[in-house]
Structure formats: structure tokens, C-alpha cells
Amino acid sequence: MSKATRTDPQPSAPHGADSHDLIRVLGARENNLKDVSIEIPKRRLTVFTGVSGSGKSSLVFNTIAAESQRLINETYSAFVQGFMPTLARPEVDVLEGLTTAIIVDQQRMGADPRSTVGTATDANAMLRILFSRLGTPHIGPPSAYAFNVPSVRASGAITVERGNKKTVKATFNRTGGMCPRCEGRGTVSDIDLTQLYDDAKSLNEGAITIPGYGSDGWNMRLYKESGFVDPDKPIRKYTKKELHDFLHHEATRMKIAGINMTYEGLIPRVQKSMLSKDKEAMQPHIRAFVDRAVTFATCPECDGTRLSEGARASKIKRISIADACAMQISDLADWVRGLKEPSVAPLLTALQHTLDSFVEIGLGYLALDRPAGTLSGGEAQRVKMIRHLGSSLTDVTYVFDEPTAGLHPHDIQRMNELLLRLRDKGNTVLVVEHKPETIAIADHVVDLGPGAGTGGGSVCFEGTVEGLRTGDTVTGRHFDDRATVKESPREPTGTLEIRGASANNLRDVDVDVPLGVLVVVTGVAGSGKSSLVHGSIPAGEGVVSVDQSPIRGSRRSNPATYTGLLDPIRKAFAKVNGVKPALFSANSEGACPTCNGAGVIYTDLAMMAGVASPCEDCEGKRYQPSVLEYHLGGRDISEVLAMSVDEAGEFFGAGEAATPAAQRILTRLSDVGLGYLTLGQPLTTLSGGERQRLKLATHMADKGGVYVLDEPTTGLHLADVEQLLALLDRLVDSGKSVIVVEHHQAVMAHADWIIDLGPGAGHDGGRLVFEGTPADLVAARSTLTGEHLAAYVGA
């Protein structure tokens, strides 16, 4: 039999399909971008840098990623698109060569109590399958180990078709793993009835003390006119049945006051309307009521594990799924490595890979049952990353927003390796970043600037890292900046004693925090810094705590309303023009009636993408024309809100418009490096670092003597860090104590005192490994932080 001969084709010209190796952006004008045109190489790592507010996010997130997302959404059916967020086309002339964009940002994960680190990744799903195969006693399919699945029994005719056979089952069972008492939440809430009503009064005397249950409101009429209870009888005199109908009656449709309504007991009604909502998003008076009325305790039935008795009893090698989820992930990875079971070998390999990814990325100190809502922004971003590391997708554009946020210099090295691994799988990786250690690994660098806000929005440099180093841009000039260790630290004025701190992973830490100086608390991610600072120094009398949690605000909120700056401005306008201040609020009497002061009209087109168009009547100025006829110092209120903080500082500093109260707030905003923000910019457009600095500016006027800051350098360019350090110095020199949780070496070097926690993360951390001056830390080099700081300052 002759062998088939095969002739290899001669190498021909490259295929046309392989020539698309650039993402081209022409004429980008989103936010402050000034007609930016750039070419980004595909399947490479590109870092975007530049001072805060220079337009990095506008280019990467609001232009490139937003257009990719919009084009993908258009591939879905009109029906599906009706349920998706509507995305407008970015302000750009040409975008070519886009690929599917996956955004890995620092948005906190949802605060749903049933969302954990395990459910947010695939780890929980794989563990459930593992226990359903190997757990003894065997209790059922994977769903029997899921705390999100309740057990259900139903009776009735259910037809199951198998080929031509039809069988009718009389009952249907589904075994779930949800604890029936706490419904998979791990905590039970108990309602304090004395906070709901005063039992000495009748309904007509206003017995119900819940916000929104006023004497003549619908909520109150529902109970008074239902006929279930006597509205003139004090609650303590109700019969057993009346009290049950008043507090626990199930939902029933009925006519009340001639209107079809649903009547239900007070407790289920309050649970649905208030207790199932996100507490952070509530109005302050309702949040205060919930805090008073509801007490949360660990569920006594499942002991906080969220799982039913059966799921807790089924074990592999004396470990139940609840024990496995409570373990530190690095320990769980070792336990899984010890399971040798050929029947589930592929599953064990996949689970092993996922758990090892957690350890590699520096999250080995977490446990799978940790609620997702308690993760910091940096941790949330790294958990999202784990999903993508095992992904089989290639030729995807991954977009990262400061992936080094919250990382110790020791952990940044690991993060760099992961970014390079994503690139080497054939993906385009775009990173917005300030840290020189990450900029250094880039294949291509884009430096935006030269300034912030209206002073930015241009490309100052494009090319290699070496080119950036020698280039004359702000980033290039500061790239090799190295802080020097403070020679003569300030003397403390007192000490704050912390004794036996044991929150989370802390091991009975005793430490004296010096007051009246700049103290930096540092250590690798997960070593217990936040637990020590926030757990032992409670925000309250004399303590001002500024973290990175999102500012709650709508499109109508802006720096002027958030900082209270608008009040003195409104009063100044009102005084000069002899009218009332409410006219100068776009959320009150002065609002344009067409757009209600929003500046834009939102048109919901049902199944198609909705449209936001500038209001034609006020041209986006948000005010009635009559209000804009009133002037202060030659400017109307909309022109004042369009000013940047720095411009407004000059405007309110002298002349007819001189307003000392406004001037003080503007100076504080400028001090924290937000001089480029416009007063009327919606808060929803600010980055995490900008939000934190806005909070800091607001709190600087507080009477507190101790300031606790959580990584204030997040989102700050190398050049802006100097300004922040000068601000911290001013706070200390004015007699305040400043305690900063921070990884940035420049801040460590500038400190008067360093508290270093470690030596590792999770149960390998939680100990005090060093306390003293930065110079002593560098000289001793006894900790990871000491080694990195010594290398940084060139000691």
C-alpha cells in the first residue's frame, strides 16, 4: 500500500486576517479628552498613566471599553436589550480593531448577604459536586450542599417524559442545603417590638412609631380601617387573635376605604419595605430606625454556616463543606491536594487550580464563606481576576483599573506576573496605573496630561518605558523619584493604647500608637491593618475616619452640594440680588421645569436603547432663565458651577464675590489635589481616589483630633503624592494626629512612626513585627516592608 505523499506549501505572503494588530482611536473627545488619536498594539500590555484627572479613565473606560460593550450589546435580541443598561456611543470619530472588552474594575461586589467569595468564583460549585460524590453519609445532589437552595416538597401530578414513556409522579422533592431558620444568611434578625409601637396607646392615638406611619398616612389607614383590630383600643388590651392579625397576618387582598389593597401584619410589612433593603442606601432617619429596631445574631441552628443539618453532617475525611468553606483558602488548597480519588480526578484538578490562583494572587488569606460585600475594592478586583485566569477565551481586551490598589510592594510582583500571563495567552491588556513597578513591565506606555481637568486630555508621550524615563513629561520626570527617609521625626504628644486587639486575624496585639505625629500602619495585604485601625480606633468622638467606600449620590449630586459649598454661594447670590436662596438650587425652586434641574432629558424607548439629550430649554444649564438673570461678580449661578475649584477660589477670594465661607471649602478641595474638578461635575463620574479625597476635604473642618485614612494615595500620580504628604504634614502641624493605612513607600519614608504587621497574611499575619521610625526599619531590614523600603530609598 503506497504512502500518501504530502507536499508542504511554500511559505506565502502573510494572511490578511493577521494584519489587524492595532486598536486605532481617532478624535476621542469624551469628557476632557482633546481630540486624542492613538494606536494601541494588540496582544501586548499597555499602561496608561498621567496625573489624576488627566483623562486616563475617559480614554480607556469611557471610550474604548464602552464602545466595545455597546457593540456587543447590540448583538442581543431587542427583547434582551430592553433589560440591559443603555449605553450612548462615545464621543469619538473612529474606533477600529476593537475586541471584546472585559472590565475588571474596583467596584465593590454586591452586598447581598448570600453572596460569598466562594459563590462569586467557581470554587463553591466545584466543592458542592465534590461533596455530593464523596461525602458520607450521602445526602443528595450538589444542590443539597448549597445554602442558596431551599428544600422543597410538592405534591401533585408531574409528568416526566422519557422517550415514549410518560410517568406521573404524585410528589416532587428537591433537597437543598439552605438552613431553614436563617434562609442561608447565617444571621437571624430579631425585631424589637417596643421600637415598632407603644402598646399603651391605641392606633388612633398614634401607637405605631415607625417612620412613614403618621396618623393620617395610608400606612396607618390600612390598619385602622381594616376591621381586624379596634383602632380605639390600646394595643396591650388586644386579644391573642387581634394581636396576631395586627402583627403576623399573611398578605390578603381586600377593600379598605373603598380601594383594593393588600393587608398584611406589621412585621412582614416592615421586613419587606425596610429590612430587605441595602442599609447604606437608606435615608438617615430610616437607617437609625432599623439600627434601633433590629438586632442581628448568629443563627443558633446552623451556627452561622448557613447550611442545613444534613449538609453539615456529610463529611469527607472528617471535614464537612461548612468546615471547608471556613478554612483559610491556602489551607483548603493543601487539604484538596491530599484527596486522591480517581473517580473525580478532573474535578480535583480544576478545584486545585482555582484555589492555587487565590494563593498566587495574594488572596490565600480569605475564606470561601467570607461575605463578598466585606471585601475592599482591591480585593474585589483580584477576586474578579480569578474568574478570568482560568478562562479559555483569548484575543480579548482586559481592562484593569489600578490593579495594584491595596497591594504591598511584595504583592505587586505577583500581580505583574498575572498581568503578563493574561497577555501571553494572546490577550490585549490595558492597565490604568501610577505605580512605577507596574509601568516598568509595559510593552507600550501612553502618558496623558500635561495637567488635570481642562489642563489635561492630551497625549504627552507614547512609546516604550525607556522612552518615558528619558522623556520630558511629568510622569517621566518623577518616574525615578525616590523619597528619602525622614531624618528627624516629630516627637509625639501622647499615646493611644491598644490592648489585646483580636478582630478578624489579629493575635492579641498590644501597641501604643503615638499621637500628634504622622503614623503609617503597613504590612502585606491581609496582615490585619484595617482590622487593627478600624477595629480598635472606632470612628466617633474626636476620630475622623475617611475610607474609600462609595459616596452615595445621584447624577444630581456634585462637589458643590456634597461639601456644603453651595450653601454660602446661594446665600451670597440671594443677598446681592435681594431674593431667596432656594432659587439658586437646581434641586429646588430654581430648577428648569422641563428637565427638573437635571440638565438632560431621559427618553425611555422601551425595547430600544434609551436616549439622554441635553435639555433644549435650559441648554443643559439646569436653571430657569429668570434665575440666570441674577449675577454675582458678573457671573450667573450656572457659570459659577462650571468653574473649576481653582478658578472659583480666585473668584470668591476677592472683589464683589468675596465669600470667606466658600473660600475656606475651596481651599480645602485644592489642598487635597482636586483643584481641577468643576463644581457642578456629577459625583457619579468621580474615581475611587477622587471620592476619598473629596471626603477628606469635607472632614478637614471637623473638630476631630485623630484622622484615620485608608490608603489615601489610591489613584494619585507620583507628582500628586508630594502634595498629599504636604497636606498630611499641615494637619499634623496644626495639632492633629494622623494615622494612615498605606503601602506607598514615599508615605512610609515620610512617616514619623511606622507600625508594621505581618509577617504574612491571614493566620500567618495578625502580629506586630515592627514598630519604630522609618530609619530604624530600613536599618534593621527585619521585615518584608523593611526590605522593600530599603530598596526603594536606595539604602
Side-chain angles (χ1 to χ4, degrees), residues 28-84:
R29 294 178 299 281
E30 198 65 31
N31 296 334
N32 66 335
L33 296 177
K34 294 174 180 162
D35 231 9
V36 167
S37 298
I38 57 164
E39 292 186 340
I40 301 164
K42 283 192 191 173
R43 293 174 287 284
R44 296 291 180 273
L45 175 66
T46 302
V47 170
F48 294 78
T49 186
V51 296
S52 304
S54 58
K56 304 180 295 296
S57 296
S58 301
L59 177 60
V60 179
F61 292 98
N62 304 356
T63 304
I64 298 170
E67 180 63 357
S68 168
Q69 208 92 55
R70 189 182 73 87
L71 293 172
I72 289 166
N73 287 3
E74 284 188 356
T75 63
Y76 298 115
S77 67
F79 176 73
V80 173
Q81 285 184 45
F83 297 100
M84 299 176 88

Side-chain angles (χ1 to χ4, degrees), residues 292-358:
R292 280 197 318 271
V294 184
T295 53
F296 290 97
T298 304
C299 172
E301 240 171 74
C302 67
D303 203 18
T305 59
R306 307 154 177 260
L307 289 157
S308 65
E309 198 179 339
R312 299 196 308 276
S314 178
K315 298 187 175 183
I316 303 174
K317 288 192 174 176
R318 298 198 300 281
I319 295 281
S320 71
I321 191 165
D323 302 331
C325 290
M327 276 185 196
Q328 188 167 305
I329 290 174
S330 53
D331 296 343
L332 181 60
D334 293 339
W335 179 74
V336 171
R337 210 171 272 118
L339 296 178
K340 297 282 184 275
E341 184 58 54
S343 63
V344 286
L347 174 67
L348 285 171
T349 309
L351 178 58
Q352 188 64 60
H353 177 73
T354 300
L355 296 174
D356 286 343
S357 298
F358 272 102

Side-chain angles (χ1 to χ4, degrees), residues 563-774:
T563 56
L565 172 65
L566 202 54
D567 290 339
I569 292 178
R570 284 201 302 248
K571 285 175 186 158
F573 265 96
K575 192 173 174 187
V576 167
N577 294 290
V579 290
K580 55 184 178 179
L583 278 179
F584 301 99
S585 166
N587 295 331
S588 183
E589 291 185 28
C592 159
T594 312
C595 63
N596 291 328
V600 285
I601 305 266
Y602 294 93
T603 314
D604 186 6
L605 301 176
M607 286 304 171
M608 292 165 63
V611 175
S613 48
C615 172
E616 290 179 8
D617 287 10
C618 66
E619 296 172 350
K621 290 180 179 173
R622 305 173 59 197
Y623 288 92
Q624 295 176 16
S626 58
V627 174
L628 300 180
E629 287 169 15
Y630 299 116
H631 288 80
L632 173 69
R635 302 284 184 97
D636 67 39
I637 184 76
S638 72
E639 289 170 331
V640 168
L641 289 176
M643 290 180 181
S644 71
V645 167
D646 288 342
E647 280 175 63
E650 288 175 26
F651 178 72
F652 288 108
E656 186 205 348
T659 313
Q663 177 71 13
R664 281 195 294 276
I665 297 173
L666 289 162
T667 307
R668 292 201 293 271
L669 284 169
S670 204
D671 283 347
V672 295
L674 294 178
Y676 59 89
L677 283 188
T678 55
L679 303 186
Q681 182 175 339
L683 289 189
T684 47
T685 62
L686 301 188
S687 68
E690 284 171 337
R691 287 187 200 126
Q692 189 187 18
R693 298 201 296 286
L694 185 60
K695 283 186 195 173
L696 178 58
T698 311
H699 286 307
M700 274 168 61
D702 291 1
K703 296 287 179 277
V706 180
Y707 280 74
V708 178
L709 309 183
D710 199 350
E711 293 186 43
T713 58
T714 302
L716 275 187
H717 186 265
L718 299 161
D720 297 325
V721 172
E722 291 172 18
Q723 189 178 356
L724 179 78
L725 290 174
L727 169 69
L728 297 180
D729 277 344
R730 277 211 301 281
L731 278 173
V732 173
D733 294 338
S734 69
K736 311 277 188 199
S737 302
V738 181
I739 300 167
V740 185
V741 174
E742 188 54 86
H743 297 290
H744 202 294
Q745 292 102 319
V747 181
M748 290 183 211
H750 196 77
D752 298 303
W753 193 259
I754 284 187
I755 294 171
D756 191 9
L757 294 174
H763 60 47
D764 300 326
R767 297 184 183 86
L768 184 66
V769 290
F770 176 85
E771 53 179 326
T773 64

Side-chain angles (χ1 to χ4, degrees), residues 202-208 210 212-232 238 246 254-264 266 269:
S202 68
L203 291 182
N204 279 334
E205 290 167 338
I208 301 180
I210 304 168
Y213 283 72
S215 55
D216 49 356
W218 267 112
N219 284 326
M220 202 62 158
R221 285 186 69 182
L222 187 69
Y223 291 97
K224 281 185 194 173
E225 303 183 21
S226 64
F228 284 114
V229 292
D230 180 351
D232 293 313
Y238 282 5
F246 174 53
M254 57 191 295
K255 252 196 167 71
I256 296 174
I259 297 168
N260 284 330
M261 293 181 78
T262 301
Y263 176 87
E264 65 183 328
L266 192 61
R269 192 173 164 84

Side-chain angles (χ1 to χ4, degrees), residues 186-203:
T187 55
V188 285
S189 54
D190 221 357
I191 295 181
D192 181 355
L193 296 180
T194 60
Q195 298 294 338
L196 302 189
Y197 57 82
D198 178 351
D199 68 354
K201 292 180 178 175
S202 68
L203 291 182

Side-chain angles (χ1 to χ4, degrees), residues 487-553:
E487 293 301 323
S488 48
R490 286 173 277 233
E491 286 299 315
T493 55
T495 54
L496 176 73
E497 290 187 4
I498 295 176
R499 293 289 175 266
S502 55
N504 298 333
N505 65 331
L506 294 176
R507 309 280 183 91
D508 280 335
V509 173
D510 296 339
V511 63
D512 291 337
V513 182
L515 296 175
V517 294
L518 175 60
V519 178
V520 169
V521 180
T522 186
V524 294
S527 58
K529 304 178 298 295
S530 298
S531 303
L532 179 70
V533 172
H534 296 301
S536 308
I537 310 171
E541 275 308 297
V543 177
V544 176
S545 185
V546 183
D547 60 13
Q548 300 208 356
S549 59
I551 291 173
R552 295 281 171 186

Side-chain angles (χ1 to χ4, degrees), residues 144-167:
Y145 297 89
F147 57 76
N148 286 332
V149 180
S151 292
V152 176
R153 279 182 71 87
S155 53
I158 296 175
T159 308
V160 181
E161 291 188 27
R162 286 214 178 93
N164 297 327
K165 291 181 187 168
K166 287 190 179 182
T167 54

